[in-house]
Amino acid sequence: MFYSYLVIAFRNLWKHRLFSFINVVGLASGMMVCLLALIDIKGAFDYGNFHPHSDRTYRVLTDVTSSDNQMVAFASTPMPLADVLKREYGFVEQTTQVIRDYAELTVDGKKLVDTYCAVDPAFFTVLGYKLASGQPAIAPRTAVLTPQTAEKFFGLSNPIGKVIHHQELGAITVTGVFQPLPTRSHLEFGLVVSMSTRSTENQKREQTDWKQYKAGYTYVRLKEGASVEALEKALPTITARNTKGIQWKTEKSYTFRPQSLATLSPAFEELQMSTWEPTWGKLATEMAVGLITLLLAVFNYVNLTLARSLSRAREVGIRKVSGAVRWQLMSQFMAESVILSVFALGVAYLLLRLIEPMPFVQQWLIGGVELNPTLWAVFVGFSIVTGLLAGFVPAHVLSGFRPAQVLRSQTGLKVFKGITLRKSLIVAQFTIALIAMIALLSVARQQNYMATADYGFRSEGILNIPLNTVPYQRLANELNRIPGVERVSATSELFGSHGGEYRKVRRQKTGGDSTAVFITAVDQHFIANMDLTLLAGQNSPEMTTDTAGEGSPGRFVLVNEEAVKAFRMGNPREMVGQTLWLNDSTEVQIAGVVKNFQFTTFSWAIKPLILSYQPKQFRYVNVRIADGAPEATLAKVQGVWKHLNPHQPFTGEWYRDFLYKRHSHEDDVNFMGLLTALAFSIACLGLLGMVTYTTETRVKEVGIRKVMGAEVRQIIWLLSWDFVKLLLIAGGIALPLGYLAGMAFLINFAYHVSIGFETLGGCIGLLLGLGGLTIGFRTYRAALSNPADSLRNE
């Protein structure tokens, strides 16, 4: 019996090849997105598999209660906790600490930024990170590099024994190289340094400060046979004993709790100071997107199968008269659905291999996950379940036809006051696709706005060159001699990005409120070079005369208008001449006030800014190149760089290109565009199948109307109008929902585009255009048919 089901199923699918093709391609498109989500879900459970004894190793979390009784969970803890657990509790086998930070490192004259972790000796055994060569970083000022960082810093040469320089940590010697790190790990870093390398007074104080619960991460491995309940009982005692007498500002108290490494990923809660483990929310969102896309394809299957219900109804009637029972008929129809779904799985895998190289897919979804037999079994099971679910509704409806009704062709399917099920499904498909398009277009327009907008400073014709170890003044002197170079300036931070150093600044040395301010080091030519406007005062005296001496920090600074408001100074003129304390020992005087400009991303409103003369912090030169022959001037600039620094490649970049790359996020938009295109393709394929079937069933009507004198355009309108109405209904539903979806994204930005006619009108126009072409293609062919052919048998 099962064999006969398969044979009949193949015959039916081959007989209706167009409908089968539409269903296979549609199901494959939706299934591909689901496969991506399943791969990422599988990868989420792989996090931490390499850690030894993960079942009895725990990360300690800190639950902080604020003064208004709000509780916030942190993945970090105070640094003294690990030592107390190891020293005072016998059920603890080992503890280790990790501090995560970013650092600008100098290697052979090159300045490179990377993520590092400061770790203690137990890190390598507790968390199980293996070395490919060398020794662990235990002694002060030693480091172990990942293979990628070793190649980035030292090329193909052996890095062991070589030195990396850090402004605060000093000269660090490389003692080892890790084995290739697992792609799926909750800790990500380019190198680790020994904990003893952090030796400044603040860093030493951090090791004993119970108030600093954001300091780092604490891991505890229990002895074999010890229960986690013992650790849970010990943590409140430690908290009570060591936090007594702490004077809090915004917090009331905190408590600790353990989190097993075996259950660390996927995370059930959003943690502050979190690491890289994915959350259940992220995975659920991915799976929801995949299921929605697959649901569109399932709609197609249901729609097209019900559309062919009249021809299949006679088959049902004959088989029932011959003695077939309902479950046998349902099995037949569902067998066809499962076969289609299995074919779709093969096509989905091919589509998956096509998009696999996309950066977004590699970085966020399937990087480091292998397709093992277990995962393939899940894929096959998923496709079979999809086929069964997709085929259930048509099988249930078709198998329920009564032979007597079939012979009278009374097989109409009506739901909800006469609206057909098929039409409802078409509206749902195009509604979902249009909402996705509006949201995507809003994202793309916002990113293009941030990439091309006027930030309030000059970006056209400005070439940014990282200084690395080249002396700024020497490079500036050489560049100023080049014809076509109008001006050269220096800065510690490229505006339009992160904003630079962020610290608390006070008006008085002691006491008084502090204000968070961005601080950027610039030279005397920066204001004119970047077309910034001074509203009051003048350029800093040190910037114009260098009275502080080259390389010495200046005593005068410039501030922006927002700083005037933040320090409640009244107006820009009143701000000039006032003093500020950058720290306990550095007092500066305000020489001038600069008109506000956007020096950070558009995610934030304009923040207070201080521009100071600190030559030692200069990291970039800004070369203003005259209009006319920028390429020729650029070639001469490259020649100067090669002369001064022959061992390093020229990495200069036009400011406009930097802003575009920083904010465009083309990889993300391309992937979201792919999902939207899939949704529209599935919807259009379903519409094509419905129009095709409708025109085929009305071919005799078309022939009669043509014989009676109807024109081609009248017949096209007659066949199309019912489907055009469905597109208009979908547009009416999707426009307000799409607007809300777009605004949910844009509200995260202080400055953003609006969702107006250019967005909504463009999307509805594309909807009608694609739908119109799909409808018009088939109806036009039907309208041109020869009436003699369609009426020959009448």
Side-chain angles (χ1 to χ4, degrees), residues 687 720 724 727 766-779:
L687 182 61
S720 302
V724 172
L727 296 182
L766 183 61
L767 168 71
L768 296 176
L770 291 175
L773 286 174
T774 304
I775 297 168
F777 170 73
R778 295 302 301 175
T779 55

Side-chain angles (χ1 to χ4, degrees), residues 453-740:
D454 180 9
Y455 280 72
F457 58 85
R458 183 183 179 91
S459 59
E460 292 293 340
I462 299 292
L463 181 68
N464 298 319
I465 305 174
L467 279 170
N468 292 329
T469 56
V470 177
Y472 157 65
Q473 199 58 55
R474 184 180 178 187
L475 178 61
N477 292 338
E478 293 291 334
L479 293 175
N480 279 319
R481 295 191 183 101
I482 299 175
V485 173
E486 294 184 346
R487 191 179 290 109
V488 179
S489 63
T491 180
S492 62
E493 185 73 23
L494 294 181
F495 290 154
S497 184
H498 300 294
E501 183 184 3
Y502 195 55
R503 70 164 76 162
K504 298 285 188 178
V505 175
R506 298 192 304 270
R507 287 196 60 187
Q508 302 173 2
K509 183 175 182 179
T510 58
D513 295 333
S514 61
T515 300
V517 176
F518 283 95
I519 302 177
T520 301
V522 299
D523 75 336
Q524 65 269 30
H525 304 296
F526 188 81
I527 299 297
N529 204 22
M530 306 304 292
D531 288 345
L532 300 181
T533 303
L534 274 171
L535 299 179
Q538 60 179 340
N539 207 352
S540 172
E542 285 112 352
M543 295 182 184
T544 57
T545 63
D546 198 15
T547 57
E550 184 172 349
S552 302
R555 191 172 63 87
F556 293 89
V557 297
L558 302 174
V559 299
N560 66 349
E561 293 176 274
E562 197 61 31
V564 177
K565 297 178 183 177
F567 287 107
R568 296 186 290 277
M569 291 285 193
N571 59 61
R573 292 188 180 276
E574 295 176 1
M575 189 79 168
V576 175
Q578 301 291 331
T579 59
L580 299 172
W581 286 87
L582 303 185
N583 52 50
D584 293 339
S585 59
T586 306
E587 183 184 25
V588 294
Q589 184 175 340
I590 299 170
V593 178
V594 179
K595 183 179 179 180
N596 276 343
F597 63 96
Q598 189 65 34
F599 61 92
T600 61
T601 72
F602 282 3
S603 299
W604 302 335
I606 296 176
K607 303 291 184 180
L609 173 68
I610 292 177
L611 301 176
S612 65
Y613 181 71
Q614 301 180 66
K616 289 185 178 181
Q617 295 189 16
F618 291 163
R619 297 170 57 207
Y620 302 93
V621 292
N622 318 109
V623 185
R624 182 165 174 168
I625 295 179
D627 298 333
E631 296 303 324
T633 305
L634 177 60
K636 294 177 181 178
V637 170
Q638 291 174 335
V640 168
W641 176 268
K642 187 175 181 180
H643 172 70
L644 295 178
N645 198 356
H647 302 295
Q648 293 183 24
F650 178 79
T651 56
E653 183 179 31
W654 294 105
Y655 215 139
R656 177 52 61 185
D657 293 341
F658 165 77
L659 292 175
Y660 188 83
K661 292 177 182 177
R662 173 69 178 80
H663 299 290
S664 60
H665 301 292
E666 289 183 349
D667 294 337
D668 298 358
V669 173
N670 289 341
F671 183 74
M672 290 186 289
L674 173 65
L675 296 183
T676 304
L678 287 177
F680 262 107
S681 299
I682 293 170
C684 288
L685 284 173
L687 182 61
L688 176 63
M690 286 301 304
V691 175
T692 299
Y693 181 78
T694 300
T695 55
E696 287 178 355
T697 56
R698 300 179 68 177
V699 65
K700 289 183 173 60
E701 176 190 347
V702 171
I704 293 173
R705 289 182 181 275
K706 292 191 73 172
V707 169
M708 299 299 293
E711 299 179 2
V712 171
R713 60 180 178 84
Q714 293 174 317
I715 293 176
I716 292 176
W717 180 251
L718 173 71
L719 297 176
S720 302
W721 173 236
D722 284 343
F723 294 103
V724 172
K725 285 191 294 185
L726 300 181
L727 296 182
L728 294 175
I729 293 172
I733 297 173
L735 286 180
L737 296 179
Y739 177 85
L740 294 176

Side-chain angles (χ1 to χ4, degrees), residues 52 56 65 80 127 164 237 247 272 346 361 367 452 517 579 601 627 640 737 759 782-783:
R56 53 189 176 96
T65 303
L127 296 183
I164 301 171
T237 304
Q247 298 296 319
Q272 301 297 312
V361 175
T452 60
V517 176
T579 59
T601 72
D627 298 333
V640 168
L737 296 179
T759 300

Side-chain angles (χ1 to χ4, degrees), residues 59-252:
R59 179 174 68 177
V60 182
L61 307 181
T62 306
D63 292 320
V64 180
T65 303
S66 63
S67 55
D68 58 355
N69 291 322
Q70 297 294 320
M71 182 174 289
V72 180
F74 285 78
S76 54
T77 62
M79 298 307 293
L81 176 62
D83 182 61
V84 171
L85 285 169
K86 181 68 172 69
R87 187 179 65 249
E88 299 182 6
Y89 294 91
F91 56 81
V92 174
E93 182 178 294
Q94 277 185 307
T95 62
T96 187
Q97 300 170 307
V98 176
I99 297 177
R100 183 181 62 184
D101 206 346
Y102 295 89
E104 183 180 88
L105 305 166
T106 303
V107 181
D108 294 336
K110 297 182 295 184
K111 288 188 177 180
L112 302 166
V113 177
D114 213 329
T115 307
Y116 80 90
C117 287
V119 302
D120 57 21
F123 168 84
F124 299 92
T125 55
V126 173
L127 296 183
Y129 287 93
K130 305 297 184 182
L131 271 60
S133 59
Q135 301 296 323
I138 297 175
R141 292 184 174 81
T142 57
V144 176
L145 311 183
T146 65
Q148 295 82 359
T149 302
E151 183 175 352
K152 180 172 67 174
F153 284 6
F154 303 105
L156 299 179
S157 62
N158 184 8
I160 296 177
K162 295 189 176 180
V163 177
I164 301 171
H165 296 274
H166 184 270
Q167 185 176 3
E168 188 178 73
L169 301 179
I172 304 171
T173 302
V174 178
T175 62
V177 177
F178 285 108
Q179 291 181 4
L181 299 185
T183 305
R184 300 275 171 161
S185 173
H186 75 285
L187 289 176
E188 293 187 7
F189 49 82
L191 67 159
V192 300
V193 300
S194 61
M195 189 70 71
S196 55
T197 303
R198 295 170 57 89
S199 57
T200 65
E201 289 301 321
N202 287 337
Q203 292 166 352
K204 290 179 179 178
R205 191 181 308 118
E206 195 176 66
Q207 294 295 321
T208 58
D209 190 353
W210 286 93
K211 194 174 182 180
Q212 298 296 326
Y213 55 83
K214 301 178 184 179
Y217 307 100
T218 299
Y219 299 87
V220 182
R221 180 191 291 175
L222 303 183
K223 290 182 178 179
E224 195 168 353
S227 66
V228 67
E229 287 77 12
L231 178 60
E232 291 174 342
K233 292 179 181 178
L235 290 174
T237 304
I238 296 173
T239 305
R241 187 172 68 240
N242 292 283
T243 60
K244 187 183 301 182
I246 291 181
Q247 298 296 319
W248 301 103
K249 290 185 178 180
T250 59
E251 302 89 349
K252 180 183 292 185

